[in-house]
Amino acid sequence: MPDGTAVDYDGLIPNNVGLADDARVRRALETWHPGYIDWWRQMGPEGFQDRLVYLRTAVGVGSEGWAKFGYVKMPDYRWGVLLAPAVEDRKIGFGAHKGEAVWQEVPGEYRAMLRRLLVIQGDTEPASVEQQRHLGATAPSQYDMRNLFQVNVEEGRHLWAMVYLLQKYFGRDGREEAEELLRRRSGDQDSPRMLGAFNEATPDWLSFFMFTFFTDRDGKMQLAALAQSGFDPLSRTCRFMLTEEAHHMFVGETGVQRIVQRTCDAMREAGIDDPMDVERVRALGVIDLPTLQRKANLHFSLTLDLFGNEISTNAANAFNAGLKGRYHEDRLADDHVLGSDTYPVLRLRDGEIVREDVPALSALNMRLRDDFVDDANAGVARWNRVLERSGLEFRLRLPHVGFNRRIGEFAAIHADTEGRLLSEDRWQAQRDTMLPTNDDNRYVESLMRPAHEPGAFASWIAPPTRGIDNKPGDFEYVKIEA
Ligand code: BYC
């Protein structure tokens, strides 16, 4: 099987997995292709399908120069199947099979477990495209619109990545799952997407930036854990997906950063020092800092639910089996088996949140969630540097992990952003100080007016410091006139 960095662009489906010589899988993918394009046309970015967009397309998988920029209509994007280069003589790095050669085929006893992981991962990708499909119409600039579409086409490619694995390694079951991935719909009553956060609406650009900051970061953590997999094709797939994912988090982090920047600049120009003077700040046409904090609280808590339960046999089994490792498993210094290790987990005991040591194997979801919180905190610190530089005392911060949860230990209780337990009445009374209110949402929505002229930016967001592919500020990223 070819494992170099060159991508074969000759056929319908660009790939570096030797599809030209694999008639069975090529046929399965070519049969799936029209349904995918139908889905993309129906559920992909609304209103801009026939516009030329300045997008990057992967043309190789080497660490340098893997992407090429150029104008393309989104339905013509060359979605392909790309795996990172094989690592010679790679060994399984953890669990019961530690030290054995990695698998190139699915071990029979782990088939169901692996299929479930691939399907869950695959399901999130089209879900996010569906969630974001209305945003083009209100893009705050051409730069942002192009970044949205880049994220969308790459989520589409990530769906292809999982569909390839399903079709290549799971035969008929895999083909059925691939069809189902095109059938479920984000937010649909009868046929929703599998995980909670992927059925929420993404109604405005602030939600989009928060989603790409927090929820795409769950993507990063989960992909990093799957990149450690002993099932080598999954590892190689995820390793390449991670190179694309980095841009998605960049979009979220710098999106919020530019909003904070614009708010600080406008407050300074107007001589407003008090971030709580919301009415005056909003009169400037920018997003007030308390609203940003409430939106961060919401998206952080929704994303924490994606890590599953604190104590999980599924997670222990996947680790033991060598299918899903920890974040940076290959850089950790322990026995990678975790037979007798413990890990501290926050739990609810007699109406109180306490830290408890539990068997490390059963706490793997928590470990990944803790790594996620650290990673997210580093991004929040970068947002806060903008506030620091502008001389404001306000700081953004992540709420307590027990706040506003639907999955796991804290789903049964209410807690405030500091982790203090609240009665139902107190929760109702305080909710609007911690989560976006109807008024916040209406205000943000009122700002969602398109700025579609090259070089124009909406009132509530600062321009980026650098263009995509080093293009100048007034570059026409999307040829809006048909
Ligand atoms: N919603 O043992 P537990 C991304 C279910 S994002 C609904 O704790 P486990 C992206 C669970 O399925 C990354 N149900 O579960 C980002 C289980 O049900 P069953 C996506 C939930 O397996 C932005 C039961 O509760 N990839 O790529 O340890 C844009 C018991 O739970 C939820 C992955 O997640 C929930 N939130 O952990 C685009 C990686 N949480 O099977 C893309 C693959 C739990 O008993 N997935 N349940 O009926 C996994 O590794 C794991 O399945 C999970 C759950 C971490 C999701």
Side-chain angles (χ1 to χ4, degrees):
M1 177 198 272
D3 58 3
T5 55
V7 178
D8 171 5
Y9 267 89
D10 290 344
L12 177 66
I13 301 159
N15 72 92
N16 68 344
V17 294
L19 277 188
D21 305 320
D22 189 346
R24 183 186 66 81
V25 177
R26 192 179 68 240
R27 252 199 318 275
L29 285 169
E30 286 177 355
T31 308
W32 186 78
H33 184 264
Y36 171 81
I37 295 293
D38 282 353
W39 167 81
W40 178 269
R41 284 201 172 271
Q42 265 177 44
M43 300 309 295
E46 195 178 66
F48 295 89
Q49 298 271 355
D50 295 320
R51 301 295 182 270
L52 287 167
V53 186
Y54 192 70
L55 294 175
R56 71 175 183 189
T57 304
V59 291
V61 292
S63 53
E64 305 243 317
W66 58 268
K68 193 175 105 221
F69 287 87
Y71 284 106
V72 56
K73 291 181 181 171
M74 285 183 278
D76 300 334
Y77 190 78
R78 299 301 309 276
W79 285 287
V81 178
L82 305 170
L83 269 56
V87 174
E88 211 177 309
D89 206 22
R90 187 170 167 254
K91 300 278 190 282
I92 299 172
F94 55 94
H97 301 281
K98 191 184 136 203
E100 295 173 20
V102 289
W103 300 298
Q104 300 303 335
E105 296 295 331
V106 179
E109 73 261 46
Y110 302 139
R111 196 179 153 83
M113 205 190 299
L114 187 58
R115 171 175 148 187
R116 176 176 173 274
L117 289 173
L118 298 181
V119 169
I120 294 179
Q121 180 62 50
D123 192 67
T124 61
E125 316 290 1
S128 68
V129 175
E130 292 164 4
Q131 288 170 296
Q132 295 161 12
R133 63 189 292 258
H134 302 298
L135 292 175
T138 55
S141 71
Q142 285 223 351
Y143 167 90
D144 290 293
M145 185 193 282
R146 176 262 165 221
N147 281 349
L148 165 73
F149 295 158
Q150 183 73 56
V151 169
N152 292 160
V153 293
E154 286 176 354
E155 299 302 6
R157 207 201 66 71
H158 291 180
L159 170 61
W160 274 90
M162 290 303 127
V163 163
Y164 166 72
L165 293 176
L166 285 166
Q167 294 194 336
K168 169 133 180 109
Y169 297 99
F170 291 83
R172 188 199 174 116
D173 296 352
R175 288 196 294 280
E176 282 171 12
E177 293 286 14
E179 291 303 324
E180 289 297 292
L181 286 166
L182 293 179
R183 196 183 58 79
R184 286 186 289 274
R185 290 284 183 274
S186 174
D188 192 279
Q189 287 283 332
D190 303 322
S191 185
R193 291 295 173 182
M194 298 173 88
L195 300 178
F198 293 91
N199 288 303
E200 300 282 329
T202 309
D204 56 67
W205 279 78
L206 176 55
S207 306
F208 170 66
F209 291 132
M210 289 290 181
F211 182 97
T212 38
F213 180 82
F214 287 112
T215 309
D216 278 79
R217 193 176 305 275
D218 171 46
K220 166 183 165 180
M221 305 312 288
Q222 300 289 352
L223 291 174
L226 293 172
Q228 301 284 341
S229 186
F231 179 53
D232 203 42
L234 176 60
S235 167
R236 293 175 57 198
T237 297
C238 292
R239 272 188 282 135
F240 187 68
M241 289 165 78
L242 280 164
T243 58
E244 295 168 313
E245 199 68 30
H247 175 67
H248 306 187
M249 276 171 302
F250 163 86
V251 168
E253 180 173 324
T254 56
V256 175
Q257 199 167 28
R258 289 160 51 216
I259 297 174
V260 174
Q261 183 72 58
R262 182 68 197 107
T263 300
C264 290
D265 291 350
M267 285 173 67
R268 208 174 42 225
E269 283 158 25
I272 303 172
D273 298 323
D274 180 7
M276 306 316 277
D277 199 348
V278 167
E279 212 169 304
R280 281 180 71 208
V281 173
R282 287 187 179 180
L284 305 172
V286 296
I287 302 179
D288 52 284
L289 300 173
T291 294
L292 282 179
Q293 178 64 65
R294 285 190 288 274
K295 284 295 271 188
N297 291 347
L298 174 67
H299 285 270
F300 178 69
S301 56
L302 286 172
T303 303
L304 290 185
D305 283 342
L306 296 173
F307 289 87
N309 289 281
E310 283 79 355
I311 306 296
S312 165
T313 346
N314 284 341
N317 290 342
F319 183 87
N320 262 335
L323 295 182
K324 182 178 174 187
R326 290 169 292 175
Y327 185 56
H328 291 161
E329 182 75 45
D330 47 1
R331 298 187 208 165
L332 299 175
D334 57 25
D335 70 358
H336 304 277
V337 179
L338 307 180
S340 51
D341 294 12
T342 60
Y343 188 80
V345 171
L346 289 185
R347 306 203 70 185
L348 203 57
R349 286 280 176 257
D350 304 323
E352 269 187 72
I353 299 176
V354 295
R355 193 173 292 274
E356 200 175 273
D357 283 333
V358 302
L361 268 178
S362 64
L364 287 164
N365 285 345
M366 275 322 80
R367 177 156 188 150
L368 196 61
R369 194 187 78 187
D370 288 345
D371 289 329
F372 164 81
V373 173
D374 288 347
D375 206 59
N377 256 323
V380 173
R382 290 188 286 273
W383 294 343
N384 281 334
R385 264 181 236 141
V386 178
L387 290 160
E388 248 166 69
R389 277 200 300 272
S390 74
L392 289 174
E393 307 239 311
F394 193 97
R395 295 289 178 270
L396 292 160
R397 52 205 294 264
L398 298 178
H400 189 274
V401 292
F403 170 74
N404 191 41
R405 299 295 308 283
R406 301 275 179 281
I407 300 275
E409 215 51 24
F410 305 115
I413 51 112
H414 290 303
D416 68 10
T417 51
E418 306 300 316
R420 289 178 294 242
L421 297 194
L422 299 177
S423 67
E424 177 67 31
D425 285 354
R426 303 262 321 153
W427 165 259
Q428 291 302 341
Q430 288 187 30
R431 185 205 169 280
D432 282 1
T433 63
M434 303 183 291
L435 286 169
T437 64
N438 290 337
D439 182 52
D440 294 340
N441 291 333
R442 266 194 304 272
Y443 175 64
V444 171
E445 204 211 312
S446 77
L447 295 177
M448 297 298 123
R449 301 280 166 264
H452 285 176
E453 287 294 303
F457 283 84
S459 65
W460 50 270
I461 190 161
T465 46
R466 212 150 54 98
I468 292 295
D469 194 26
N470 283 319
K471 292 297 178 202
D474 59 354
F475 184 70
E476 193 177 14
Y477 288 104
V478 184
K479 294 195 185 282
I480 297 208
E481 300 304 324

